[in-house]
Amino acid sequence: MVDLVSQYQKMEAEINEAVINVIKSSAYINGPEVKSFQKELENYLDVKHVIPCANGTDALQMAMMALGLKPGDEVITATFTFVATAEVIALLGLVPVLVDVDPDTFMLNPEQVANAITPKTKAIVPVHLFGQCADMEAILEIATKNNLFVIEDTAQAIGADYTFSNGQSAKAGTIGDIGTTSFFPSKNLGCFGDGGAIFTNNDELGDKLRVIANHGMKVRYYHDEIGVNSRLDSIQAAVLRKKLPQLDSYNAARNKAAAFYDEAFKGHSKITTPKRADQSSHVFHQYTLKVTGVDRDALIQHLQDNEIPAMIYYPVPLHMQKAYTDERYNVGDFPIAESLITQVISLPMHTELTENQLQFITRSFLTFVNQ
Ligand SMILES: *Cc1c(COP(=O)(O)O)cnc(C)c1O
């Protein structure tokens, strides 16, 4: 699904040097590399505060802690997504309120969000799934009207641009109150281990997030609130500093691969290529198709027989996960998500796909679908 080795080889000397320099400096934690990466990411995103942290799940958790959400408060998110969002909501004693998604963009449906609001609702967490932004304008409007916080889960969409109807644009993750991301190796901006970050334009939240990430302390050994220990280490920051200047070209390479797939599958009666959301660019963390009238398991087997990986993101929506079973929800409650899980299939998507590989993948795929 990804080819991290080829990507690394292109920058091997540069990255090795940066990593060795951190090792020689012995500034392994909170060293100058972390500070520099923070500043460089702030510049790239055009956001006031970046708070580097240990991973994207911690980033979500700290975002909810910083907003002062209390046990029993309701947080609205999509049922069709990676588990991290609902996980931290549940861990903090908050109540995940799930809503269905748009069948074409796979993203949080604003109308459903509006319908799910109760007096206990405190926040909305749109997940910018697969690489493009949710309908932020509609979500912000609902949030403003109902006095709710918005946390953008940008783990899959770093670098995507969102354009408002007035023509203004902003980077994914800098639109709501807080944005979160992950630098897990296979993400669009990946390090060589775990990493994450939180973004905000709000000075007060920025201060609070820095304190929470550091055991709730501003002055060493004086703890003003309960925090966590969540740090990006200096080696990861050094790697990310080398890769951040490449992010736009990485995302362009992903778009090129996506355009090849689009063209190969165009107009096919059994294949729906991914829809581009109106207001967002797409950075193709995943290239996710829908297939109908095809034995999907046999298709995946056929691809595997040809050494082509393919994945189902995601096979089970949150309301049907064992750990998140809830008397409020039943099978059948979210028909779009429940139909998507039977149709979606994600193809290899990364920065190093060659035309030969893309040709081989699309031909194998079509051979099976057309048989
Ligand atoms: C990867 C991912 C996360 C979690 O990131 P980690 O760094 O693995 O903790 C959260 N949300 C989404 C949508 C993701 O894809």
Side-chain angles (χ1 to χ4, degrees), residues 55-58 60 81-82 84-85 127 129 153 155-156 181-184 187 194-195 285 314:
N55 58 67
T57 309
D58 275 8
L60 281 165
T81 186
F82 181 60
T85 322
V127 181
L129 204 68
D153 183 343
Q156 300 189 3
T181 202
S182 163
F183 305 122
F184 186 82
K187 306 287 186 188
D194 274 308
H285 178 60
Y314 292 93

Side-chain angles (χ1 to χ4, degrees), residues 202-359:
N202 180 313
D203 295 336
E204 210 176 306
L205 284 174
D207 282 343
K208 196 144 187 218
L209 284 161
R210 273 181 284 269
V211 168
I212 289 171
N214 187 27
H215 297 292
M217 72 186 176
K218 206 172 221 168
V219 179
R220 191 174 271 208
Y221 306 128
Y222 290 80
H223 304 274
D224 301 335
E225 59 189 302
I226 297 175
V228 297
N229 169 28
S230 189
R231 295 183 287 241
L232 180 73
D233 72 68
S234 303
I235 288 179
Q236 302 311 333
V239 171
L240 289 165
R241 286 191 70 199
K242 293 295 170 196
K243 289 178 79 174
L244 177 60
Q246 304 296 324
L247 178 58
D248 287 343
S249 67
Y250 288 162
N251 287 341
R254 288 170 177 273
N255 267 282
K256 205 168 157 212
F260 189 102
Y261 283 139
D262 278 356
E263 187 59 31
F265 301 133
K266 195 170 68 182
H268 198 290
S269 60
K270 295 178 178 173
I271 306 171
T272 310
T273 54
K275 186 187 168 181
R276 311 300 197 269
D278 291 338
Q279 315 297 342
S280 176
S281 68
H282 204 319
V283 295
F284 284 101
H285 178 60
Q286 298 298 344
Y287 186 87
T288 303
L289 295 160
K290 291 187 282 185
V291 290
T292 46
V294 176
D295 181 344
R296 193 178 52 165
D297 290 340
L299 168 61
I300 291 172
Q301 189 57 53
H302 165 82
L303 293 171
Q304 261 163 17
D305 293 344
N306 288 284
E307 292 178 23
I308 299 166
M311 294 288 287
I312 309 296
Y313 299 119
Y314 292 93
V316 184
L318 295 178
H319 71 283
M320 288 161 63
Q321 296 281 0
K322 204 162 138 195
Y324 295 89
T325 306
D326 187 306
E327 61 193 13
R328 291 171 302 159
Y329 302 123
N330 294 302
V331 175
D333 283 355
F334 302 105
I336 306 290
E338 288 172 35
S339 113
L340 285 177
I341 60 168
T342 68
Q343 296 176 9
V344 289
I345 176 166
S346 299
L347 294 181
M349 176 47 77
H350 54 82
T351 57
E352 311 303 315
L353 281 163
T354 64
E355 199 141 314
N356 275 344
Q357 289 173 324
L358 288 163
Q359 226 148 43

